[in-house]
Amino acid sequence: MANKKMDPVALIRKEIESLEHKLEQLRDRLMADAHKAMDKAKAQAERAREKLKAEQQKLSELQHKAKASMDAKIHKQVERAHGAVDAAKELELDAKALMIMAKEQLADLKGDYQRAKALAKAAQDAAKNFDKTSKPPAKKATAKKVAVKKAVAKKAPAKTAAPKKAAVKKAPAKKPAAKKAAAPKS
């Protein structure tokens, strides 16, 4: 059962890969949303420009009519046309502001993505470093275990019963450390 368990480094790597995949999906979705918002803002700005041009054209026509005959009715139309031009200008300014915000959001998303990618790389590097640092102690512990067994085997026949007990007591103290060091291998 202990052999079937994954070592912590493999679990960390698997989690990192899962998080990187989720990050990529989220980045793609957010980038698509930002691009849609920017396209929408551009379209709105274009409509506002067209409306502004149309209102300015109407205004110039009305001003020509007003010069011909300064009727009160035409004067009211001129005032309404001025109001419509002002509204179109505000609409264009709003569209430009939306476009600027969409660009800023896109820049923020790119920055967040770069930071997340750097963190994932750092975590992966840390996992690699952990791998490198955890393997050599396991080999040393195994070598110590073999050396202890050889020493016990050599000393056992030459000594009396009391030293054998001392050698047996020392050997179990080394075995748990060897098992702990050998566990990350599986």
Side-chain angles (χ1 to χ4, degrees):
M1 189 126 187
N3 293 341
K4 291 183 180 180
K5 289 183 180 178
M6 294 181 72
D7 64 329
V9 175
L11 290 173
I12 290 170
R13 281 189 182 151
K14 188 175 181 181
E15 186 66 22
I16 288 170
E17 290 173 6
S18 171
L19 291 173
E20 284 178 340
H21 180 70
K22 288 178 184 177
L23 176 67
E24 282 293 325
Q25 288 178 337
L26 180 62
R27 182 191 71 84
D28 290 342
R29 191 174 68 233
L30 290 174
M31 293 292 278
D33 290 347
H35 283 293
K36 284 180 187 176
M38 195 172 351
D39 291 343
K40 187 176 178 181
K42 284 180 183 177
Q44 188 176 356
E46 187 62 35
R47 285 193 303 268
R49 261 189 238 112
E50 291 172 4
K51 188 172 181 179
L52 178 62
K53 285 180 184 178
E55 292 298 333
Q56 285 176 336
Q57 182 66 30
K58 285 181 187 177
L59 177 61
S60 67
E61 290 173 7
L62 289 172
Q63 284 175 337
H64 287 296
K65 285 182 183 179
K67 286 180 183 176
S69 75
M70 274 309 251
D71 190 72
K73 195 176 189 182
I74 293 176
H75 190 65
K76 285 181 185 178
Q77 287 178 343
V78 169
E79 287 179 34
R80 271 190 255 140
H82 279 292
V85 167
D86 292 340
K89 284 180 182 178
E90 288 180 14
L91 185 62
E92 184 181 16
L93 288 175
D94 289 346
K96 285 180 181 179
L98 279 174
M99 198 163 51
I100 289 169
M101 287 190 301
K103 284 180 183 177
E104 290 174 354
Q105 183 183 11
L106 188 61
D108 288 346
L109 285 173
K110 285 179 182 177
D112 290 345
Y113 173 70
Q114 293 300 326
R115 283 190 292 280
K117 197 169 185 178
L119 284 174
K121 180 159 177 34
Q124 198 168 15
D125 290 346
K128 285 179 184 177
N129 288 341
F130 180 79
D131 259 352
K132 288 177 184 177
T133 57
S134 67
K135 286 183 181 178
K139 290 180 182 178
K140 288 179 183 177
T142 307
K144 286 181 182 177
K145 184 178 174 183
V146 171
V148 168
K149 282 184 177 181
K150 286 182 180 180
V152 170
K154 288 179 183 178
K155 291 179 184 178
K159 295 195 177 193
T160 60
K164 283 184 184 178
K165 287 182 182 177
V168 171
K169 287 180 183 176
K170 287 182 182 177
K174 297 283 184 175
K175 285 181 183 179
K179 285 181 183 178
K180 287 180 185 175
K185 283 184 175 181
S186 57

